[in-house]
Short mmCIF file of all heavy atoms in Angstrom, two decimals:
data_model
loop_
_atom_site.label_atom_id
_atom_site.label_comp_id
_atom_site.label_asym_id
_atom_site.label_seq_id
_atom_site.Cartn_x
_atom_site.Cartn_y
_atom_site.Cartn_z
N GLN A 141 3.40 -15.54 35.19
CA GLN A 141 2.62 -14.90 36.24
C GLN A 141 3.55 -14.33 37.30
O GLN A 141 4.40 -15.05 37.83
CB GLN A 141 1.68 -15.95 36.86
CG GLN A 141 0.89 -15.46 38.05
CD GLN A 141 -0.12 -14.38 37.67
OE1 GLN A 141 -0.95 -14.56 36.77
NE2 GLN A 141 -0.04 -13.24 38.33
N GLY A 142 3.42 -13.06 37.56
CA GLY A 142 4.21 -12.45 38.62
C GLY A 142 3.72 -12.94 39.97
O GLY A 142 2.62 -13.47 40.08
N GLY A 143 4.53 -12.75 41.01
CA GLY A 143 4.11 -13.17 42.34
C GLY A 143 3.07 -12.21 42.92
O GLY A 143 2.89 -11.11 42.40
N PHE A 144 2.40 -12.64 43.95
CA PHE A 144 1.47 -11.76 44.63
C PHE A 144 2.27 -10.90 45.60
O PHE A 144 3.13 -11.41 46.33
CB PHE A 144 0.41 -12.59 45.38
CG PHE A 144 -0.62 -11.73 46.05
CD1 PHE A 144 -1.53 -11.00 45.28
CD2 PHE A 144 -0.67 -11.64 47.43
CE1 PHE A 144 -2.47 -10.19 45.90
CE2 PHE A 144 -1.62 -10.83 48.05
CZ PHE A 144 -2.52 -10.11 47.28
N HIS A 145 2.02 -9.60 45.58
CA HIS A 145 2.83 -8.72 46.43
C HIS A 145 2.54 -8.98 47.91
O HIS A 145 1.48 -9.48 48.27
CB HIS A 145 2.52 -7.26 46.09
CG HIS A 145 1.08 -6.91 46.27
ND1 HIS A 145 0.52 -6.69 47.50
CD2 HIS A 145 0.09 -6.78 45.35
CE1 HIS A 145 -0.76 -6.42 47.34
NE2 HIS A 145 -1.06 -6.47 46.06
N LYS A 165 4.39 -11.94 53.65
CA LYS A 165 5.36 -11.93 52.55
C LYS A 165 4.63 -12.14 51.22
O LYS A 165 3.57 -12.77 51.19
CB LYS A 165 6.36 -13.08 52.75
CG LYS A 165 7.36 -12.84 53.85
CD LYS A 165 8.56 -13.76 53.64
CE LYS A 165 9.77 -13.28 54.40
NZ LYS A 165 9.57 -13.27 55.85
N GLY A 166 5.20 -11.64 50.15
CA GLY A 166 4.64 -11.91 48.82
C GLY A 166 4.97 -13.33 48.41
O GLY A 166 5.81 -13.98 49.04
N SER A 167 4.32 -13.81 47.36
CA SER A 167 4.66 -15.15 46.86
C SER A 167 5.57 -14.98 45.66
O SER A 167 5.49 -13.98 44.95
CB SER A 167 3.38 -15.89 46.47
OG SER A 167 2.70 -15.15 45.49
N PRO A 168 6.46 -15.93 45.45
CA PRO A 168 7.38 -15.79 44.31
C PRO A 168 6.64 -15.86 42.97
O PRO A 168 5.60 -16.52 42.88
CB PRO A 168 8.34 -16.97 44.47
CG PRO A 168 7.72 -17.90 45.43
CD PRO A 168 6.68 -17.16 46.20
N GLY A 169 7.15 -15.20 41.98
CA GLY A 169 6.54 -15.25 40.65
C GLY A 169 6.94 -16.52 39.92
O GLY A 169 7.79 -17.28 40.39
N GLU A 170 6.30 -16.74 38.78
CA GLU A 170 6.62 -17.90 37.96
C GLU A 170 8.00 -17.68 37.33
O GLU A 170 8.29 -16.57 36.88
CB GLU A 170 5.59 -17.98 36.85
CG GLU A 170 5.01 -19.34 36.60
CD GLU A 170 3.94 -19.26 35.53
OE1 GLU A 170 3.19 -18.28 35.46
OE2 GLU A 170 3.90 -20.19 34.74
N LEU A 171 8.79 -18.72 37.28
CA LEU A 171 10.12 -18.59 36.69
C LEU A 171 10.13 -19.37 35.38
O LEU A 171 9.79 -20.55 35.35
CB LEU A 171 11.15 -19.17 37.67
CG LEU A 171 12.55 -18.62 37.57
CD1 LEU A 171 12.54 -17.11 37.81
CD2 LEU A 171 13.44 -19.32 38.60
#
Side-chain angles (χ1 to χ4, degrees):
Q141 175 66 54
F144 183 68
H145 58 77
K165 286 200 161 63
S167 58
E170 226 177 323
L171 206 59

